[in-house]
Structure formats: C-alpha cells, structure tokens
Amino acid sequence: MRVRVVFLGPPGAGKGTQARELAREAGVAHIATGDMLREAAAAGTPLGREAKRIMDTGALVPDDVIVGLIAEHMRAPDAAAGFILDGFPRTIAQAQALERLLADVGHDLDRVVFFDVPEAELLRRLTARRVCRVCGTPFNVASAPPRQAGRCDRCGGALYQRDDDSEATVKRRLDVYAVQTAPLLAYYGNRAVLVRVSGEGSIETVRRAIHEALGQEQAR
Ligand code: AMP
C-alpha cells in the first residue's frame, strides 16, 4: 500500500486519530499542521504565540506561515517513504502550494481521503474531546473514554481540553471549514484522487473503510 495521502474533512471528523494509527502501521510520516502549531505555542516561540492567538478564535493561520512549516517537513528524509497530511491543505492556495512542493520533491498524491461526518455529530465530538498533553492522543469522554479518567491510555500523560474545543469556537471553526476548506472537495474531485469515507461509526470501522479506500483504483 503506497501512502502519500491527504486527510481532508471538518474538525472532529477523526482525521488525527486515524492518521496516527495509519502512519505508525505504514511507517510513514504523520504531518499535522495543528499539532505543529500547538507545539510551537507550548514552546512559546513568536510564531507559536501568534498562531495561538489566531487558533483560539477559530480562524485559520495565514497560508504563507503554514506553507513554510509544511515545506520543511515534506523535504525531510522521513517523508520520503510516504506521508499523511492531516489538516493541510485547508485552502485552495495551500493546495496549489502543495502541488508545487510535490513537483519539487518528485512525488504525486496517491489519494485525498475525505472524512464525511454530519455537523451535529462533529459538535458532539469536539466538545467531548480531550487530548493527551504528552503524546497528543485524542479521547472522547462520551464515546471512547480513557481507561483511567484524565489519563492517556497510551502513555499515562494528563488529558486536557483544547482551548479551541469550547462550543463557541467549535461553531466558528465549522463555519471557517465550510467557507475556506470545503471548496477543496471540488478541487480534488476534478483531479480524480478524491475518495470519500464515512467518518461515522467506530474507530475500527472507519479504519477499515480507509484501508479499502487506499486500495481502490486511482480513477474511482
Ligand atoms: P487542527 O488541530 O487541525 O484542528 O487545527 C487547529 C487550528 O490550527 C485550526 O483551527 C487553525 O487555526 C490552525 N491550523 C491548523 N492547520 C492549518 C492550516 N493548514 N491552515 C491554517 N490554519 C491551520
């Protein structure tokens, strides 16, 4: 299975959960722009502080900042074996920049996997989400709670609620998604790399659907 893919979909669709697992299994790089920005924010760098201010409003960080971050990672040796882009691109301009970057490193995208989840379900998931402060693993306190409350099953780290997972900010993020990111469906639909999976159902059900989608013929 070749894995040079984009995971596309609204916040809360399960991209991060699935990307982590698949990247581990396939031995490819998991490149998550949201994680990078949160790391920069936690480190207190100038970029991180500015990104945090924007993220907390639910808006997108400027394209040039994000493309700069991604460029480094796409050229790094661990991306040569393959990659999963999680949360990038989020605008048409970012998708165009990605095409240029891929042309530079001599790769094509195998697939863009769209995670389809109804908005009511996204709202439920995002407000119940808790994330491990150490390893970033997400949990859902309603549907998939950790074995020990407040602790990560994987590494024992403390779980926290992201500042942008408050109900007001979640609504704004969903609006931003509809206006700025959803147009990528038509963009990639025209390039015949787009596959849709239902992001509803258990983590395992969605995992199987992604495997199937990645095994499909290019033109479908
Ligand atoms: P995520 O963890 O993917 O939900 O991203 C959290 C926040 O980081 C988003 O709401 C944006 O503010 C910012 N962000 C992450 N990825 C991007 C991107 N590709 N373009 C612009 N902003 C981004």
Side-chain angles (χ1 to χ4, degrees), residues 4-195:
R4 288 194 197 108
V5 298
V6 167
F7 278 5
L8 177 66
K15 304 183 299 294
T17 300
Q18 298 291 340
R20 273 163 198 284
E21 262 201 41
L22 179 62
R24 231 187 321 258
E25 184 190 326
V28 300
H30 173 204
I31 302 177
T33 41
D35 289 351
M36 289 176 199
L37 295 172
R38 279 183 291 279
E39 274 163 30
T45 64
L47 166 88
R49 281 201 298 273
E50 177 59 8
K52 167 107 173 88
R53 195 185 56 74
I54 298 170
M55 289 160 83
D56 284 352
T57 69
L60 296 184
V61 170
D63 288 333
D64 55 338
V65 173
I66 294 289
V67 170
L69 280 179
I70 281 283
E72 276 174 44
H73 284 263
M74 296 296 291
R75 295 201 179 99
D78 67 332
F83 52 81
I84 302 171
L85 291 171
D86 164 11
F88 174 90
R90 259 174 156 100
T91 63
I92 299 278
Q94 290 181 16
Q96 289 165 338
L98 175 61
E99 261 176 48
R100 289 191 294 271
L101 275 172
L102 287 170
D104 265 6
V105 294
H107 291 319
D108 284 329
L109 279 183
D110 301 322
R111 291 284 182 278
V112 174
V113 180
F114 169 58
F115 288 60
D116 200 359
V117 179
E119 185 160 323
E121 171 69 10
L122 296 171
L123 267 172
R124 265 196 300 277
R125 285 188 187 179
L126 286 165
T127 48
R129 175 161 68 183
R130 301 292 181 274
V131 183
C132 175
R133 213 177 267 291
V134 179
C135 73
T137 301
F139 294 86
N140 182 303
V141 288
S143 64
R147 284 190 294 270
Q148 187 191 341
R151 289 277 151 205
C152 175
D153 287 352
R154 199 176 292 280
C155 76
L159 304 185
Y160 78 108
Q161 181 170 34
R162 277 171 45 174
D163 289 338
D164 60 349
D165 279 346
S166 67
E167 193 168 339
T169 310
V170 160
K171 287 199 172 124
R172 170 103 162 93
R173 288 163 65 204
L174 292 174
D175 289 346
V176 166
Y177 171 81
V179 173
Q180 295 188 258
T181 308
L184 290 175
L185 284 174
Y187 180 89
Y188 285 120
N190 291 334
R191 284 164 176 70
V193 287
L194 185 72
V195 285

